[in-house]
Amino acid sequence: ILLCTAPYSLAFQPSAAVRTHSPARASNGARLHYAKKNMNDDDVNNTPSLVSRRQIFQLATKGLVASSLLIGMPSASFAAVATRADIKRLQLGHSRVQYLLQNWDKLTTSCNNKAMSKTESIQVVRTDAGGGGFCDKNPLVVQDYLGYKSTTDPLFHADALMLRAVPLVDDSVMDEADYVDIVEQYRDKADQTSLLAYTSSWGEANPNGSKDATDDYLDQTKKVVEESEVLLRKVLKALQLEVLPPSEKTKA
C-alpha cells in the first residue's frame, strides 16, 4: 500500500507545496514489466536481453490503463488519454511562464507591500527604495507561475498531463520516447525552480545569509525557468499547439 501511494505524497514547506515524485519516473519499471508481459514467446526468444527504450515505450503506451494499475496510479488521473481541451492548459501555462520571464524584476520585487504573512515577512529581503519606502525581494512568486501554489494553475501537475497526451504527439516532430524524455527533463527543471525559489526566499534569513545570497539564488532560479520555458515550447510543438503571447491569465 505504501508503495502504491508513495508517488502521490507531497512534501510541504512554508508557503510552498513541492512535488517530490512524478509518474514519469515511477512508471519506468512498470513500462518494462508491461512490455515484456505483452510480448509473445517468439518476441521474447528473438529479443535481445536489453530491450531498447523505444521498443519498451511503444508497447507500454498501448496499454496506459494496465500500466497505471501495475504501479498503483489512479486510472482517472493518469491513464485517461488527454483531450485537446485538456492540453490547452499547457498553452496557458507556457504563456504565464513567458510573462514571468518578461516581467521578472517587477514580479519578484514588491515595494511598500505590507500585506504579508508572518512567514513571508521573514522570507523576503528588504532593500532601500526611493521615496522613503522599501522593496521586498519575493522569490516565492516564481512558484505561482510554475504550478506549485494552486491546484487551479494551468501547470499544476503538468508532467502528468503531458504523459496523458502521449497519444497526441505528432510523430513528424518527434517520436513518443523522445517526447517522454522532454517531459522528464521539464519535470526536473520545474522542481529545481521551485526549490531554488524557496532557497532564495531564505537567503538572508538563514545564518550567515545575505542579500547577495538571495540575489544569487534568484539569478539561478531565473536561468532554470528559462530552461523550463524552452522545454515547454518543445512540448507544445510536439502536440501541435500554438504558442500564445505572454500573459498572466490562468484561464482562456
PDB file of all heavy atoms in Angstrom, residues 195-226:
ATOM      1  N   LEU A 195      12.494  24.658  -5.855  1.00  0.00           N
ATOM      2  CA  LEU A 195      13.444  24.538  -4.747  1.00  0.00           C
ATOM      3  C   LEU A 195      14.366  25.750  -4.664  1.00  0.00           C
ATOM      4  O   LEU A 195      14.621  26.281  -3.573  1.00  0.00           O
ATOM      5  CB  LEU A 195      14.270  23.265  -4.908  1.00  0.00           C
ATOM      6  CG  LEU A 195      15.316  22.997  -3.816  1.00  0.00           C
ATOM      7  CD1 LEU A 195      14.650  22.886  -2.450  1.00  0.00           C
ATOM      8  CD2 LEU A 195      16.098  21.716  -4.126  1.00  0.00           C
ATOM      9  N   LEU A 196      14.862  26.227  -5.804  1.00  0.00           N
ATOM     10  CA  LEU A 196      15.742  27.394  -5.812  1.00  0.00           C
ATOM     11  C   LEU A 196      15.003  28.649  -5.344  1.00  0.00           C
ATOM     12  O   LEU A 196      15.562  29.468  -4.605  1.00  0.00           O
ATOM     13  CB  LEU A 196      16.303  27.618  -7.218  1.00  0.00           C
ATOM     14  CG  LEU A 196      17.455  26.702  -7.653  1.00  0.00           C
ATOM     15  CD1 LEU A 196      17.736  26.866  -9.140  1.00  0.00           C
ATOM     16  CD2 LEU A 196      18.715  27.003  -6.838  1.00  0.00           C
ATOM     17  N   ALA A 197      13.753  28.792  -5.769  1.00  0.00           N
ATOM     18  CA  ALA A 197      12.964  29.942  -5.337  1.00  0.00           C
ATOM     19  C   ALA A 197      12.775  29.909  -3.824  1.00  0.00           C
ATOM     20  O   ALA A 197      12.890  30.940  -3.142  1.00  0.00           O
ATOM     21  CB  ALA A 197      11.611  29.955  -6.048  1.00  0.00           C
ATOM     22  N   TYR A 198      12.495  28.745  -3.302  1.00  0.00           N
ATOM     23  CA  TYR A 198      12.312  28.602  -1.859  1.00  0.00           C
ATOM     24  C   TYR A 198      13.616  28.909  -1.116  1.00  0.00           C
ATOM     25  O   TYR A 198      13.623  29.624  -0.106  1.00  0.00           O
ATOM     26  CB  TYR A 198      11.844  27.186  -1.537  1.00  0.00           C
ATOM     27  CG  TYR A 198      11.636  26.938  -0.064  1.00  0.00           C
ATOM     28  CD1 TYR A 198      10.516  27.427   0.595  1.00  0.00           C
ATOM     29  CD2 TYR A 198      12.575  26.225   0.675  1.00  0.00           C
ATOM     30  CE1 TYR A 198      10.318  27.215   1.946  1.00  0.00           C
ATOM     31  CE2 TYR A 198      12.387  26.006   2.027  1.00  0.00           C
ATOM     32  CZ  TYR A 198      11.267  26.495   2.670  1.00  0.00           C
ATOM     33  OH  TYR A 198      11.087  26.277   4.004  1.00  0.00           O
ATOM     34  N   THR A 199      14.725  28.375  -1.642  1.00  0.00           N
ATOM     35  CA  THR A 199      16.031  28.625  -1.022  1.00  0.00           C
ATOM     36  C   THR A 199      16.376  30.105  -1.052  1.00  0.00           C
ATOM     37  O   THR A 199      16.877  30.674  -0.075  1.00  0.00           O
ATOM     38  CB  THR A 199      17.129  27.825  -1.745  1.00  0.00           C
ATOM     39  OG1 THR A 199      16.795  26.438  -1.735  1.00  0.00           O
ATOM     40  CG2 THR A 199      18.482  28.016  -1.069  1.00  0.00           C
ATOM     41  N   SER A 200      16.077  30.753  -2.178  1.00  0.00           N
ATOM     42  CA  SER A 200      16.344  32.183  -2.309  1.00  0.00           C
ATOM     43  C   SER A 200      15.551  32.989  -1.295  1.00  0.00           C
ATOM     44  O   SER A 200      16.042  33.991  -0.756  1.00  0.00           O
ATOM     45  CB  SER A 200      15.998  32.644  -3.729  1.00  0.00           C
ATOM     46  OG  SER A 200      16.197  34.025  -3.875  1.00  0.00           O
ATOM     47  N   SER A 201      14.327  32.553  -1.008  1.00  0.00           N
ATOM     48  CA  SER A 201      13.480  33.302  -0.085  1.00  0.00           C
ATOM     49  C   SER A 201      14.043  33.320   1.333  1.00  0.00           C
ATOM     50  O   SER A 201      13.692  34.179   2.139  1.00  0.00           O
ATOM     51  CB  SER A 201      12.062  32.718  -0.076  1.00  0.00           C
ATOM     52  OG  SER A 201      12.035  31.452   0.553  1.00  0.00           O
ATOM     53  N   TRP A 202      14.919  32.368   1.648  1.00  0.00           N
ATOM     54  CA  TRP A 202      15.547  32.313   2.963  1.00  0.00           C
ATOM     55  C   TRP A 202      17.015  32.760   2.908  1.00  0.00           C
ATOM     56  O   TRP A 202      17.761  32.566   3.856  1.00  0.00           O
ATOM     57  CB  TRP A 202      15.468  30.896   3.526  1.00  0.00           C
ATOM     58  CG  TRP A 202      14.085  30.508   3.951  1.00  0.00           C
ATOM     59  CD1 TRP A 202      13.144  29.864   3.205  1.00  0.00           C
ATOM     60  CD2 TRP A 202      13.475  30.763   5.220  1.00  0.00           C
ATOM     61  NE1 TRP A 202      11.987  29.696   3.923  1.00  0.00           N
ATOM     62  CE2 TRP A 202      12.158  30.233   5.170  1.00  0.00           C
ATOM     63  CE3 TRP A 202      13.913  31.380   6.390  1.00  0.00           C
ATOM     64  CZ2 TRP A 202      11.285  30.311   6.252  1.00  0.00           C
ATOM     65  CZ3 TRP A 202      13.028  31.445   7.463  1.00  0.00           C
ATOM     66  CH2 TRP A 202      11.733  30.917   7.394  1.00  0.00           C
ATOM     67  N   GLY A 203      17.421  33.332   1.779  1.00  0.00           N
ATOM     68  CA  GLY A 203      18.828  33.680   1.584  1.00  0.00           C
ATOM     69  C   GLY A 203      19.411  34.597   2.632  1.00  0.00           C
ATOM     70  O   GLY A 203      20.567  34.453   3.026  1.00  0.00           O
ATOM     71  N   GLU A 204      18.623  35.556   3.117  1.00  0.00           N
ATOM     72  CA  GLU A 204      19.121  36.490   4.122  1.00  0.00           C
ATOM     73  C   GLU A 204      18.746  36.057   5.534  1.00  0.00           C
ATOM     74  O   GLU A 204      19.465  36.326   6.496  1.00  0.00           O
ATOM     75  CB  GLU A 204      18.579  37.895   3.862  1.00  0.00           C
ATOM     76  CG  GLU A 204      19.194  38.947   4.785  1.00  0.00           C
ATOM     77  CD  GLU A 204      18.731  40.354   4.452  1.00  0.00           C
ATOM     78  OE1 GLU A 204      17.850  40.506   3.585  1.00  0.00           O
ATOM     79  OE2 GLU A 204      19.244  41.309   5.074  1.00  0.00           O
ATOM     80  N   ALA A 205      17.619  35.357   5.657  1.00  0.00           N
ATOM     81  CA  ALA A 205      17.154  34.957   6.984  1.00  0.00           C
ATOM     82  C   ALA A 205      17.992  33.829   7.580  1.00  0.00           C
ATOM     83  O   ALA A 205      18.083  33.691   8.795  1.00  0.00           O
ATOM     84  CB  ALA A 205      15.688  34.529   6.914  1.00  0.00           C
ATOM     85  N   ASN A 206      18.618  33.011   6.725  1.00  0.00           N
ATOM     86  CA  ASN A 206      19.436  31.908   7.214  1.00  0.00           C
ATOM     87  C   ASN A 206      20.686  32.420   7.930  1.00  0.00           C
ATOM     88  O   ASN A 206      21.156  33.536   7.652  1.00  0.00           O
ATOM     89  CB  ASN A 206      19.874  31.009   6.052  1.00  0.00           C
ATOM     90  CG  ASN A 206      18.758  30.077   5.605  1.00  0.00           C
ATOM     91  OD1 ASN A 206      17.899  29.708   6.393  1.00  0.00           O
ATOM     92  ND2 ASN A 206      18.787  29.696   4.333  1.00  0.00           N
ATOM     93  N   PRO A 207      21.253  31.630   8.840  1.00  0.00           N
ATOM     94  CA  PRO A 207      22.521  32.021   9.480  1.00  0.00           C
ATOM     95  C   PRO A 207      23.591  32.274   8.421  1.00  0.00           C
ATOM     96  O   PRO A 207      23.702  31.523   7.458  1.00  0.00           O
ATOM     97  CB  PRO A 207      22.872  30.796  10.335  1.00  0.00           C
ATOM     98  CG  PRO A 207      21.552  30.154  10.613  1.00  0.00           C
ATOM     99  CD  PRO A 207      20.720  30.372   9.371  1.00  0.00           C
ATOM    100  N   ASN A 208      24.332  33.344   8.585  1.00  0.00           N
ATOM    101  CA  ASN A 208      25.370  33.740   7.625  1.00  0.00           C
ATOM    102  C   ASN A 208      24.791  34.090   6.256  1.00  0.00           C
ATOM    103  O   ASN A 208      25.517  34.137   5.254  1.00  0.00           O
ATOM    104  CB  ASN A 208      26.422  32.634   7.461  1.00  0.00           C
ATOM    105  CG  ASN A 208      27.125  32.303   8.766  1.00  0.00           C
ATOM    106  OD1 ASN A 208      27.453  33.189   9.552  1.00  0.00           O
ATOM    107  ND2 ASN A 208      27.339  31.017   9.006  1.00  0.00           N
ATOM    108  N   GLY A 209      23.499  34.329   6.215  1.00  0.00           N
ATOM    109  CA  GLY A 209      22.871  34.701   4.955  1.00  0.00           C
ATOM    110  C   GLY A 209      23.119  36.155   4.616  1.00  0.00           C
ATOM    111  O   GLY A 209      23.654  36.931   5.419  1.00  0.00           O
ATOM    112  N   SER A 210      22.734  36.537   3.402  1.00  0.00           N
ATOM    113  CA  SER A 210      22.939  37.918   2.961  1.00  0.00           C
ATOM    114  C   SER A 210      22.024  38.219   1.788  1.00  0.00           C
ATOM    115  O   SER A 210      21.443  37.311   1.174  1.00  0.00           O
ATOM    116  CB  SER A 210      24.398  38.128   2.539  1.00  0.00           C
ATOM    117  OG  SER A 210      24.695  37.351   1.389  1.00  0.00           O
ATOM    118  N   LYS A 211      21.915  39.504   1.475  1.00  0.00           N
ATOM    119  CA  LYS A 211      21.149  39.905   0.311  1.00  0.00           C
ATOM    120  C   LYS A 211      21.792  39.359  -0.963  1.00  0.00           C
ATOM    121  O   LYS A 211      21.087  39.000  -1.914  1.00  0.00           O
ATOM    122  CB  LYS A 211      21.067  41.429   0.236  1.00  0.00           C
ATOM    123  CG  LYS A 211      20.267  42.060   1.374  1.00  0.00           C
ATOM    124  CD  LYS A 211      20.252  43.561   1.263  1.00  0.00           C
ATOM    125  CE  LYS A 211      19.465  44.193   2.428  1.00  0.00           C
ATOM    126  NZ  LYS A 211      19.479  45.673   2.344  1.00  0.00           N
ATOM    127  N   ASP A 212      23.108  39.303  -0.970  1.00  0.00           N
ATOM    128  CA  ASP A 212      23.810  38.764  -2.136  1.00  0.00           C
ATOM    129  C   ASP A 212      23.455  37.301  -2.362  1.00  0.00           C
ATOM    130  O   ASP A 212      23.313  36.851  -3.505  1.00  0.00           O
ATOM    131  CB  ASP A 212      25.323  38.903  -1.957  1.00  0.00           C
ATOM    132  CG  ASP A 212      25.799  40.342  -2.070  1.00  0.00           C
ATOM    133  OD1 ASP A 212      25.044  41.165  -2.639  1.00  0.00           O
ATOM    134  OD2 ASP A 212      26.910  40.649  -1.596  1.00  0.00           O
ATOM    135  N   ALA A 213      23.311  36.561  -1.265  1.00  0.00           N
ATOM    136  CA  ALA A 213      22.948  35.146  -1.384  1.00  0.00           C
ATOM    137  C   ALA A 213      21.556  35.006  -1.995  1.00  0.00           C
ATOM    138  O   ALA A 213      21.309  34.166  -2.866  1.00  0.00           O
ATOM    139  CB  ALA A 213      22.988  34.468  -0.017  1.00  0.00           C
ATOM    140  N   THR A 214      20.633  35.856  -1.544  1.00  0.00           N
ATOM    141  CA  THR A 214      19.285  35.837  -2.095  1.00  0.00           C
ATOM    142  C   THR A 214      19.296  36.161  -3.579  1.00  0.00           C
ATOM    143  O   THR A 214      18.648  35.484  -4.392  1.00  0.00           O
ATOM    144  CB  THR A 214      18.386  36.844  -1.358  1.00  0.00           C
ATOM    145  OG1 THR A 214      18.253  36.434   0.006  1.00  0.00           O
ATOM    146  CG2 THR A 214      17.015  36.931  -1.998  1.00  0.00           C
ATOM    147  N   ASP A 215      20.025  37.200  -3.945  1.00  0.00           N
ATOM    148  CA  ASP A 215      20.099  37.596  -5.353  1.00  0.00           C
ATOM    149  C   ASP A 215      20.733  36.501  -6.204  1.00  0.00           C
ATOM    150  O   ASP A 215      20.301  36.251  -7.343  1.00  0.00           O
ATOM    151  CB  ASP A 215      20.901  38.892  -5.498  1.00  0.00           C
ATOM    152  CG  ASP A 215      20.168  40.096  -4.927  1.00  0.00           C
ATOM    153  OD1 ASP A 215      18.931  40.002  -4.775  1.00  0.00           O
ATOM    154  OD2 ASP A 215      20.833  41.100  -4.612  1.00  0.00           O
ATOM    155  N   ASP A 216      21.761  35.841  -5.664  1.00  0.00           N
ATOM    156  CA  ASP A 216      22.437  34.783  -6.411  1.00  0.00           C
ATOM    157  C   ASP A 216      21.484  33.622  -6.681  1.00  0.00           C
ATOM    158  O   ASP A 216      21.397  33.127  -7.810  1.00  0.00           O
ATOM    159  CB  ASP A 216      23.657  34.291  -5.635  1.00  0.00           C
ATOM    160  CG  ASP A 216      24.399  33.183  -6.373  1.00  0.00           C
ATOM    161  OD1 ASP A 216      24.834  33.432  -7.521  1.00  0.00           O
ATOM    162  OD2 ASP A 216      24.538  32.076  -5.821  1.00  0.00           O
ATOM    163  N   TYR A 217      20.758  33.202  -5.657  1.00  0.00           N
ATOM    164  CA  TYR A 217      19.803  32.109  -5.842  1.00  0.00           C
ATOM    165  C   TYR A 217      18.672  32.503  -6.782  1.00  0.00           C
ATOM    166  O   TYR A 217      18.176  31.689  -7.575  1.00  0.00           O
ATOM    167  CB  TYR A 217      19.220  31.672  -4.494  1.00  0.00           C
ATOM    168  CG  TYR A 217      20.114  30.738  -3.718  1.00  0.00           C
ATOM    169  CD1 TYR A 217      20.631  31.109  -2.472  1.00  0.00           C
ATOM    170  CD2 TYR A 217      20.451  29.479  -4.225  1.00  0.00           C
ATOM    171  CE1 TYR A 217      21.454  30.246  -1.756  1.00  0.00           C
ATOM    172  CE2 TYR A 217      21.270  28.617  -3.517  1.00  0.00           C
ATOM    173  CZ  TYR A 217      21.761  29.007  -2.272  1.00  0.00           C
ATOM    174  OH  TYR A 217      22.571  28.153  -1.573  1.00  0.00           O
ATOM    175  N   LEU A 218      18.276  33.775  -6.722  1.00  0.00           N
ATOM    176  CA  LEU A 218      17.207  34.248  -7.593  1.00  0.00           C
ATOM    177  C   LEU A 218      17.668  34.266  -9.049  1.00  0.00           C
ATOM    178  O   LEU A 218      16.901  33.934  -9.965  1.00  0.00           O
ATOM    179  CB  LEU A 218      16.744  35.640  -7.160  1.00  0.00           C
ATOM    180  CG  LEU A 218      15.421  36.145  -7.752  1.00  0.00           C
ATOM    181  CD1 LEU A 218      14.300  35.146  -7.526  1.00  0.00           C
ATOM    182  CD2 LEU A 218      15.058  37.504  -7.160  1.00  0.00           C
ATOM    183  N   ASP A 219      18.941  34.628  -9.260  1.00  0.00           N
ATOM    184  CA  ASP A 219      19.505  34.585 -10.617  1.00  0.00           C
ATOM    185  C   ASP A 219      19.548  33.148 -11.136  1.00  0.00           C
ATOM    186  O   ASP A 219      19.240  32.887 -12.314  1.00  0.00           O
ATOM    187  CB  ASP A 219      20.918  35.177 -10.626  1.00  0.00           C
ATOM    188  CG  ASP A 219      20.923  36.691 -10.466  1.00  0.00           C
ATOM    189  OD1 ASP A 219      19.861  37.316 -10.692  1.00  0.00           O
ATOM    190  OD2 ASP A 219      21.984  37.250 -10.100  1.00  0.00           O
ATOM    191  N   GLN A 220      19.929  32.216 -10.273  1.00  0.00           N
ATOM    192  CA  GLN A 220      19.938  30.808 -10.652  1.00  0.00           C
ATOM    193  C   GLN A 220      18.525  30.328 -10.987  1.00  0.00           C
ATOM    194  O   GLN A 220      18.324  29.559 -11.939  1.00  0.00           O
ATOM    195  CB  GLN A 220      20.518  29.948  -9.525  1.00  0.00           C
ATOM    196  CG  GLN A 220      21.994  30.166  -9.246  1.00  0.00           C
ATOM    197  CD  GLN A 220      22.476  29.255  -8.132  1.00  0.00           C
ATOM    198  OE1 GLN A 220      22.258  28.047  -8.135  1.00  0.00           O
ATOM    199  NE2 GLN A 220      23.154  29.840  -7.147  1.00  0.00           N
ATOM    200  N   THR A 221      17.570  30.805 -10.202  1.00  0.00           N
ATOM    201  CA  THR A 221      16.176  30.432 -10.429  1.00  0.00           C
ATOM    202  C   THR A 221      15.723  30.867 -11.816  1.00  0.00           C
ATOM    203  O   THR A 221      15.078  30.107 -12.548  1.00  0.00           O
ATOM    204  CB  THR A 221      15.260  31.077  -9.365  1.00  0.00           C
ATOM    205  OG1 THR A 221      15.695  30.688  -8.060  1.00  0.00           O
ATOM    206  CG2 THR A 221      13.815  30.639  -9.557  1.00  0.00           C
ATOM    207  N   LYS A 222      16.066  32.096 -12.181  1.00  0.00           N
ATOM    208  CA  LYS A 222      15.656  32.621 -13.486  1.00  0.00           C
ATOM    209  C   LYS A 222      16.238  31.788 -14.626  1.00  0.00           C
ATOM    210  O   LYS A 222      15.542  31.495 -15.619  1.00  0.00           O
ATOM    211  CB  LYS A 222      16.092  34.076 -13.631  1.00  0.00           C
ATOM    212  CG  LYS A 222      15.604  34.720 -14.930  1.00  0.00           C
ATOM    213  CD  LYS A 222      16.008  36.176 -15.037  1.00  0.00           C
ATOM    214  CE  LYS A 222      15.475  36.800 -16.315  1.00  0.00           C
ATOM    215  NZ  LYS A 222      15.870  38.229 -16.445  1.00  0.00           N
ATOM    216  N   LYS A 223      17.490  31.379 -14.488  1.00  0.00           N
ATOM    217  CA  LYS A 223      18.116  30.572 -15.546  1.00  0.00           C
ATOM    218  C   LYS A 223      17.384  29.253 -15.732  1.00  0.00           C
ATOM    219  O   LYS A 223      17.173  28.785 -16.864  1.00  0.00           O
ATOM    220  CB  LYS A 223      19.580  30.320 -15.200  1.00  0.00           C
ATOM    221  CG  LYS A 223      20.454  31.562 -15.283  1.00  0.00           C
ATOM    222  CD  LYS A 223      21.904  31.261 -14.898  1.00  0.00           C
ATOM    223  CE  LYS A 223      22.759  32.517 -14.966  1.00  0.00           C
ATOM    224  NZ  LYS A 223      24.168  32.256 -14.557  1.00  0.00           N
ATOM    225  N   VAL A 224      16.972  28.634 -14.633  1.00  0.00           N
ATOM    226  CA  VAL A 224      16.270  27.351 -14.735  1.00  0.00           C
ATOM    227  C   VAL A 224      14.857  27.556 -15.292  1.00  0.00           C
ATOM    228  O   VAL A 224      14.352  26.708 -16.029  1.00  0.00           O
ATOM    229  CB  VAL A 224      16.220  26.636 -13.369  1.00  0.00           C
ATOM    230  CG1 VAL A 224      15.524  25.286 -13.498  1.00  0.00           C
ATOM    231  CG2 VAL A 224      17.632  26.418 -12.829  1.00  0.00           C
ATOM    232  N   VAL A 225      14.222  28.685 -14.950  1.00  0.00           N
ATOM    233  CA  VAL A 225      12.913  28.997 -15.526  1.00  0.00           C
ATOM    234  C   VAL A 225      13.047  29.143 -17.041  1.00  0.00           C
ATOM    235  O   VAL A 225      12.181  28.687 -17.804  1.00  0.00           O
ATOM    236  CB  VAL A 225      12.321  30.273 -14.904  1.00  0.00           C
ATOM    237  CG1 VAL A 225      11.043  30.681 -15.650  1.00  0.00           C
ATOM    238  CG2 VAL A 225      11.997  30.065 -13.438  1.00  0.00           C
ATOM    239  N   GLU A 226      14.114  29.780 -17.488  1.00  0.00           N
ATOM    240  CA  GLU A 226      14.346  29.932 -18.928  1.00  0.00           C
ATOM    241  C   GLU A 226      14.489  28.568 -19.601  1.00  0.00           C
ATOM    242  O   GLU A 226      13.965  28.346 -20.705  1.00  0.00           O
ATOM    243  CB  GLU A 226      15.594  30.779 -19.156  1.00  0.00           C
ATOM    244  CG  GLU A 226      15.416  32.242 -18.777  1.00  0.00           C
ATOM    245  CD  GLU A 226      16.714  33.029 -18.805  1.00  0.00           C
ATOM    246  OE1 GLU A 226      17.804  32.408 -18.778  1.00  0.00           O
ATOM    247  OE2 GLU A 226      16.654  34.284 -18.856  1.00  0.00           O
TER     248      GLU A 226
END
